[in-house]
Amino acid sequence: MTTDESGATPEPQAVIAPLTGAAIFLVVELNPGEDSAEAVRDLCADLAGQVRAVGFRDLEGHLSCVTGFSAAAWDRISGTDTPSGLHPFREINAGPRHAVATRGDVLFHIRASRMDLCFELASQIMTRLDRAVTVADEVHGFKYFDDRDLIGFVDGTENPTGAAAARAVLIGAEDPAFAGGSYVIVQQYLHDVAAWNKLPVEEQEKIVGRTKLSDIELSDDVKPSYAHNALTTITGDDGAEVQIVRDNMPFGSVGDGRYGTYFIGYARSPATIEQMLVNMFVGSPEGNYDRLLDFSTAVTGCLFFVPAVPLLENLGAATPAREPAPGPAADPDPAAGPPAPGHAGPHGSLEIGSLKGAPGDG
């Protein structure tokens, strides 16, 4: 499926919906049996209607739901070829730093201005799926003051908007059978807030690469090469920054001292985010790692494909085999998967570009 009858790109899911004040990140595992796969297909065919029904209770609530599938789930559910960039999440081990890979077949990223809307839709989804799935991970995120995370810094400052956001996250001619789709990587990070707060603010700012109060990027002559926003800025072969869209949210529970950030990054190729993670965990060059990882631990890690709306609503229907894109691709080939992290050379390169000392924030 490359276009609709009018020749337009298929309608994408709400991957670049405006940031909201509440979210539920629901990851489920698909239970054995064809009945389980059919239950997920049936839900996806009706999901837009369910979102409208719940969202109608508050039209200013901006309720949306993005649904993504792991490589294993896509094989069971879709009845189509596999998107060129879809594969299991690639685990990274670098000394004490570990980007773990965890179980999860289907992601429901539910967003709204109110948590009750998110909660009601999540409840309706689980009622429909019943015994077809088992919950692997459920996180309720919230907006914290002026879009700050629980370590006190503004998160997502450099997100692209408008047409730039669409270019960053929507698959195009490089994989035409899946045009209008996206990839999404999710990770749950737990923070040692007590240890972080013992650092002087100036040291915190060097680790993040931005000022804490005013959210201004540090100048190149002050910002260390290990700063988070230096290591997560990626450029393509043409020297332009390869962007992603983040919708990270804080989560936590005061009683057990559990404070964290749910990282969720959308991109038209997972290789971009994978390069960021190698730079963070392995370092660029190797050993020059993200010092935030001295205070933050990744406890989950999954990669999902987010199909365009027509494909989502018709999962299981026979689809023609993917055809090569006409002419040379303008963007890095997302099918060129990276080597295993830790075995990619001294810079952990995934061969999609290099670091750039230009604005970028994670």
Side-chain angles (χ1 to χ4, degrees):
M1 179 186 303
T2 57
T3 59
D4 62 23
E5 293 180 357
S6 68
T9 300
E11 177 189 357
Q13 294 191 57
V15 296
I16 52 176
L19 303 182
T20 58
I24 292 179
F25 307 95
L26 181 63
V27 177
V28 299
E29 293 183 67
L30 190 61
N31 290 338
E34 177 58 24
D35 288 349
S36 297
E38 188 60 30
V40 173
R41 294 187 197 106
D42 288 346
L43 170 69
C44 291
D46 298 338
L47 190 54
Q50 287 200 293
V51 172
R52 286 194 297 271
V54 176
F56 187 75
R57 302 180 190 189
D58 180 359
L59 296 179
E60 300 300 317
H62 304 293
L63 178 67
S64 67
C65 178
V66 173
T67 305
F69 302 89
S70 71
W74 187 256
D75 288 343
R76 285 185 60 185
I77 292 173
S78 69
T80 73
D81 292 338
T82 301
S84 61
L86 184 58
H87 52 259
F89 180 85
R90 291 188 167 118
E91 199 163 8
I92 304 173
N93 278 289
R97 300 174 300 282
H98 188 193
V100 298
T102 51
R103 300 173 67 90
D105 290 322
V106 187
L107 166 71
F108 298 101
H109 179 199
I110 304 170
R111 289 177 278 187
S113 62
R114 296 166 43 178
M115 179 54 76
D116 57 347
L117 293 173
C118 297
F119 189 85
E120 176 64 17
L121 181 58
S123 299
Q124 295 289 344
I125 288 171
M126 291 307 300
T127 298
R128 280 287 300 269
L129 294 179
D130 193 21
R131 300 180 181 179
V133 300
T134 300
V135 174
D137 188 34
E138 178 182 349
V139 173
H140 294 206
F142 55 88
K143 181 178 178 179
Y144 189 59
F145 296 108
D146 49 338
D147 292 312
R148 294 181 185 268
D149 53 33
L150 294 180
I151 62 172
F153 285 77
V154 176
D155 198 4
T157 299
E158 298 297 331
N159 263 353
T161 59
R167 288 192 298 271
V169 304
L170 299 182
I171 298 168
E174 70 273 14
D175 200 4
F178 300 99
S182 301
Y183 297 95
V184 59
I185 284 179
V186 299
Q187 292 177 291
Q188 191 181 143
Y189 285 89
L190 296 180
H191 306 315
D192 185 345
V193 174
W196 174 258
N197 286 338
K198 291 178 181 178
L199 289 180
V201 170
E202 292 79 6
E203 185 62 27
Q204 294 179 2
E205 292 176 337
K206 288 180 180 179
I207 291 173
V208 174
R210 307 187 75 87
T211 57
K212 191 169 186 177
L213 180 61
S214 59
D215 188 38
I216 302 299
E217 184 174 11
L218 299 182
S219 62
D220 289 343
D221 60 341
V222 174
K223 180 169 57 179
S225 60
Y226 59 73
H228 176 71
N229 62 0
L231 291 172
T232 57
T233 298
I234 307 297
T235 58
D237 293 336
D238 60 358
E241 183 178 351
V242 184
Q243 294 182 303
I244 68 171
V245 169
R246 303 165 176 84
D247 200 358
N248 303 350
M249 295 202 86
F251 67 91
S253 54
V254 176
D256 60 9
R258 190 169 177 267
Y259 301 91
T261 297
Y262 198 97
F263 167 78
I264 179 164
Y266 290 98
R268 68 187 297 169
S269 166
T272 304
I273 302 175
E274 289 170 335
Q275 177 74 76
M276 292 177 178
L277 294 178
V278 169
N279 291 347
M280 288 171 59
F281 283 80
V282 178
S284 180
E286 185 172 354
N288 188 52
Y289 68 92
D290 187 342
R291 300 306 195 269
L292 269 178
L293 297 177
D294 291 338
F295 305 90
S296 299
T297 301
V299 295
T300 66
C302 296
L303 165 64
F304 302 96
F305 168 65
V306 176
V309 170
L311 186 53
L312 177 72
E313 294 180 344
N314 293 280
L315 286 171
T319 304
R322 186 166 64 240
E323 296 180 0
D331 296 286
D333 180 8
H343 299 279
H347 295 271
S349 174
L350 300 184
E351 300 182 358
I352 65 168
S354 60
L355 289 175
K356 181 183 75 172
D361 192 46

